[in-house]
Amino acid sequence: MNFKQEGNQQKTIFKSLKILSLVGTSFFINFPALAQINLATLMDIIGNKNEVFIEEQVAQVPEQASLGQNIRTEQARAQIDFNTGATGRMAENSKIIVGQCVEVQEGVLIASGPANGCLLEFATGVQGTIYMLNVDRNNNTNSNTGTIRVLEGEIQLSSRNNPNDPNPITIQEGQKVSNLTQGLALSQVSVQRISKQEYEDIITGPLFQGYKTPLPNQDKLNEVCKRLYGNCRPVGGNGPVRGLW
């Protein structure tokens, strides 16, 4: 028996099991045909440069988080590029896990491009959408509440426990689902309209200010504003968009 070969095989198996345990149930979700997200590269930091972390270690541009690793921000915002060609931005005090879906555990992530997301017991299927995932912590009840907002395009929302549900919920641009909690059934989720004020607050807020490069298809957001609300402030700015009044 080749004991060296057997030892190498055991190491390979152990490494594979470790990755599976880190990623958790999200690894097994059957998403629409997208390349698996297994790498996230830190591209930009806004705020305190020492308050973005990968696996609890201070991270700087262009460090990378691989499959199963987490990225966390404190008093800083961060822009990250995924290996699928999508881009994400994290608000302050946020945490995500890199996996087949980008799992938001706390705070806010906005994503543009082919990046499926998940939070709590829900998963999103996207193609090239710009959308936002938000998880808030209620310290009084010691529970989390999730919100998903679609800024451009559309997503399919399903349960992480039943990703092949033939009746997922379609959420289109200018719509959201809120008050998502553990144990909430998909049939109990209702789609709501994003108000003009709420939409403007997002596209002129911190996640659209100060970054070196725009999100993919970011210019489409002004077109969505015109289509949905008639007029609104431009992305990242304060004045009305030319031609939208």
Side-chain angles (χ1 to χ4, degrees):
M1 178 182 294
N2 190 330
F3 292 100
K4 183 177 181 181
Q5 182 179 13
E6 182 180 4
N8 290 336
Q9 289 175 341
Q10 290 176 344
K11 289 180 181 178
T12 300
I13 293 171
F14 177 77
K15 184 177 180 182
S16 299
L17 290 173
K18 183 179 180 182
I19 290 174
L20 289 176
S21 65
L22 284 169
V23 177
T25 57
S26 64
F27 184 86
F28 299 99
I29 296 174
N30 182 21
F31 289 104
L34 292 179
Q36 177 174 289
I37 295 175
N38 53 34
L39 195 67
T41 303
L42 187 59
M43 302 300 294
D44 200 1
I45 297 174
I46 311 296
N48 191 322
K49 303 295 183 182
N50 294 318
E51 297 206 4
V52 177
F53 305 86
I54 295 177
E55 291 292 294
E56 302 308 317
Q57 299 296 315
V58 174
Q60 301 293 337
V61 174
E63 291 186 49
Q64 297 177 323
S66 56
L67 184 67
Q69 293 188 315
N70 70 70
I71 304 174
R72 181 173 61 85
T73 63
E74 290 185 359
Q75 299 305 305
R77 293 172 280 137
Q79 180 160 313
I80 49 183
D81 282 356
F82 300 107
N83 62 290
T84 58
T87 296
R89 287 178 180 168
M90 298 175 63
E92 294 182 1
N93 301 308
S94 299
K95 182 179 180 180
I96 66 171
I97 295 179
V98 178
Q100 185 170 343
C101 69
V102 183
E103 181 175 357
V104 179
Q105 293 201 319
E106 59 186 70
V108 180
L109 171 76
I110 188 167
S112 179
N116 289 321
C118 49
L119 52 75
L120 303 175
E121 295 181 356
F122 299 90
T124 68
V126 309
Q127 293 300 325
T129 311
I130 302 177
Y131 70 114
M132 177 183 292
L133 301 103
N134 185 187
V135 175
D136 290 318
R137 182 75 175 175
N138 188 323
N139 293 323
N140 293 327
T141 61
N142 198 33
S143 62
N144 292 329
T145 302
T147 303
I148 301 173
R149 299 173 176 88
V150 178
L151 304 180
E152 186 272 330
E154 68 177 35
I155 67 172
Q156 300 292 315
L157 182 69
S158 61
S159 167
R160 294 175 71 177
N161 296 324
N162 186 20
N164 296 315
D165 190 330
N167 298 302
I169 296 174
T170 299
I171 310 171
Q172 299 178 332
E173 58 192 24
Q175 295 180 336
K176 66 179 180 179
V177 291
S178 57
N179 298 315
L180 303 176
T181 57
Q182 297 283 358
L184 186 70
L186 194 64
S187 60
Q188 296 175 291
V189 176
S190 61
V191 178
Q192 303 166 308
R193 185 176 185 271
I194 299 175
S195 70
K196 175 185 173 182
Q197 183 65 56
E198 185 177 1
Y199 196 98
E200 281 188 323
D201 287 346
I202 294 169
I203 67 172
T204 61
L207 289 175
F208 286 93
Q209 293 185 358
Y211 292 92
K212 296 175 183 177
T213 57
L215 289 174
N217 297 317
Q218 179 175 302
D219 57 328
K220 291 185 178 180
L221 297 177
N222 289 329
E223 300 172 13
V224 174
C225 276
K226 180 179 180 180
R227 186 163 57 249
L228 295 180
Y229 308 110
N231 64 76
C232 58
R233 290 174 287 165
V235 175
N238 296 313
V241 180
R242 185 181 300 276
L244 296 191
W245 57 83

